[in-house]
Amino acid sequence: MKPIYLDHMSTTPIDPRVRELMIAYLGGAESNTFGNANSPHYYGYEAKNAIELAREKVASLVHCDPLGIVWTSGATEANNLAIKGIANFYQRQGRHIITSTIEHKSVIECCQYLATQGFEISYLKPSSDGLIDPMQLEKLIRRDTILISLMHANNEIGTIQKIEKIGAIAQARGVLFHVDAAQSAGKIPLDLKKWPIDLMSFSAHKIYGPKGIGALYIRTNPRLHLVPLLHGGTQENSRRAGTLATHQIVGMGEAFSIAQRQMHEDGLRQQYLIEKLKNALNDIGNVSINGSTKHRLPHNLNLSFADLDHELLVGALKDLAISTTSACYASPSHVRTNQKSYVLKAIGLGDDLINNSLRISIGRFTTEAEMEQVIFHLKQTVASLRKNHEK
């Protein structure tokens, strides 16, 4: 029997409707869609039309100009393109960048690389509930600050940052603002028409689409410039060279379209299932929730079991496919345990609680019956471990 999948913040299973549409664009010579979207003939036009429709679908979910959507291989590339691209283009105006200590590795390591190139990086520290104080951020802004890069929703503890307020501060001070929205797109509303955000990163596989495709929103009015990461072609208005993967892009577009139609319904159902689990924690006892209990994604819980041995806990939960850390820095396994979470450390947890933490994230296809099994398994496992510990 397969373990119950509770690791949707790592990746999501592809939605059958997405898979079906992608297959239609994986045709051979008998199909109309195998052409290179840059080719000036019928087959190229067919591929290009499919790509532009997908671009409109992505833009529709986040309420932005479709011309601002640039295809990438995923959110990691989008984050690199945003941060390095802006830094390299605007470095004559300044070489100071602000980010936080709880960002995704693709942001933190990108900033660490820029530090070796003469840029100065300031790291915001979150509060104990995982939230960034906008006033603290404002104090860090200097005359040479060119970019602020923060994630919308954290990939480990699920906390949601006040990006509207932060964006307003950045705009007022003339600083560009990049947001990593890989975890929030399709889970909570995003509105780039109203919010003062200059760049935003997206990923398909966090939202029931295929792996290997993502996008970066780049503000179009007034136009924003950046230095591309890849050279060798004029694709994406010379912002990202390379032949476009039509089937991947079509899949991402459909995943975003489905999310737009189902986001509210999915969120309510997942919140209901998470509340069932939270109520069960009262029976389990001696369990703490990491991160804000109010400002968080509806499908995530990050838990610490204070009195349980880490190795025994994760080993006993073999029937649950869960993580203890972000998959970006953990080894492959049904429970990933090899490195401590820098996110939990940043919000003030000690090694004992970090070691005994679990990240539980459910999804569109998680059933109530599965959640009841999860609760039963957790209760039984924890009770058994505590009983053995007392002996």
Side-chain angles (χ1 to χ4, degrees), residues 16 50 107 143 157 162 184 201-202 224 229 246 248 256 258 306 339 369:
V107 169
R143 291 182 63 183
I157 56 178
K162 301 173 183 177
S184 59
S201 302
F202 307 109
L224 194 62
L229 291 178
T246 306
Q248 298 285 84
F256 272 58
I258 293 170
Q339 291 192 34

Side-chain angles (χ1 to χ4, degrees), residues 82-284:
I83 298 170
K84 292 177 182 174
I86 291 297
N88 289 325
F89 191 91
Y90 291 97
Q91 59 182 305
R92 290 186 179 180
Q93 297 180 21
R95 298 171 73 85
H96 179 233
I97 296 171
I98 299 173
T99 187
S100 87
T101 56
I102 59 171
E103 298 304 304
H104 188 270
K105 281 282 189 178
S106 60
V107 169
I108 289 178
E109 293 189 5
C110 184
C111 289
Q112 289 173 342
Y113 164 77
L114 288 174
T116 69
Q117 305 302 303
F119 289 85
E120 186 176 348
I121 316 298
S122 293
Y123 293 93
L124 288 157
K125 294 182 179 180
S127 61
S128 60
D129 58 3
L131 299 177
I132 297 297
D133 180 0
M135 297 302 103
Q136 179 193 8
L137 179 145
E138 187 168 23
K139 291 177 182 178
L140 289 178
I141 296 176
R142 312 182 322 206
R143 291 182 63 183
D144 62 338
T145 304
I146 57 172
L147 179 67
I148 297 167
S149 180
L150 295 172
M151 59 171 43
H152 189 193
N154 188 267
N155 53 311
E156 288 194 39
I157 56 178
T159 49
I160 301 169
Q161 303 298 339
K162 301 173 183 177
I163 59 170
E164 293 176 74
K165 189 168 185 178
I166 293 170
I169 291 171
Q171 186 179 66
R173 298 291 296 272
V175 179
L176 296 176
F177 184 32
H178 164 246
V179 174
D180 176 358
Q183 294 290 353
S184 59
K187 312 292 172 49
I188 54 179
L190 303 175
D191 195 337
L192 289 170
K193 278 188 177 179
K194 295 181 180 178
W195 298 352
I197 294 171
D198 301 292
L199 307 106
M200 183 173 276
S201 302
F202 307 109
S203 175
H205 78 98
K206 306 290 189 182
I207 189 175
Y208 309 96
K211 298 174 182 65
I213 182 68
L216 175 67
Y217 159 76
I218 304 173
R219 189 191 68 206
T220 57
N221 186 25
R223 187 179 179 187
L224 194 62
H225 300 277
L226 50 71
V227 175
L229 291 178
L230 304 178
H231 299 86
T234 60
Q235 292 89 349
E236 300 300 277
N237 291 321
S238 298
R239 294 175 294 189
R240 203 271 186 177
T243 301
L244 295 174
T246 306
H247 64 292
Q248 298 285 84
I249 290 170
V250 165
M252 181 169 178
E254 187 65 9
F256 272 58
S257 181
I258 293 170
Q260 187 169 17
R261 299 194 300 269
Q262 291 191 204
M263 180 168 55
H264 181 68
E265 177 187 343
D266 284 351
L268 288 178
R269 193 180 62 81
Q270 290 167 25
Q271 184 66 57
Y272 166 73
L273 295 179
I274 287 292
E275 287 298 323
K276 283 181 71 80
L277 177 56
K278 286 171 66 176
N279 292 334
L281 296 178
N282 295 327
D283 297 331
I284 294 174

Side-chain angles (χ1 to χ4, degrees), residues 3-12 155-157 183 206 277 290 299-305 310 313-315 317-341 344 353-362 374 378:
I4 297 173
Y5 189 69
L6 299 172
D7 198 19
H8 287 79
M9 297 192 81
S10 172
T11 194
T12 56
N155 53 311
E156 288 194 39
I157 56 178
Q183 294 290 353
K206 306 290 189 182
L277 177 56
N290 299 316
H299 68 300
N300 164 279
L301 274 184
N302 193 295
L303 307 172
S304 288
F305 297 78
H310 170 61
L313 176 62
V314 296
L317 293 174
K318 59 183 180 298
D319 293 330
L320 307 180
I322 54 180
S323 290
T324 59
T325 61
S326 169
C328 65
Y329 61 95
S331 63
S333 154
H334 79 284
V335 176
R336 305 180 173 93
T337 64
N338 67 317
Q339 291 192 34
K340 291 183 175 66
S341 164
L344 296 182
L353 290 179
I354 293 174
N355 285 337
N356 295 344
S357 67
L358 300 176
R359 181 184 67 174
I360 295 176
S361 50
I362 63 173
V374 169
L378 271 175

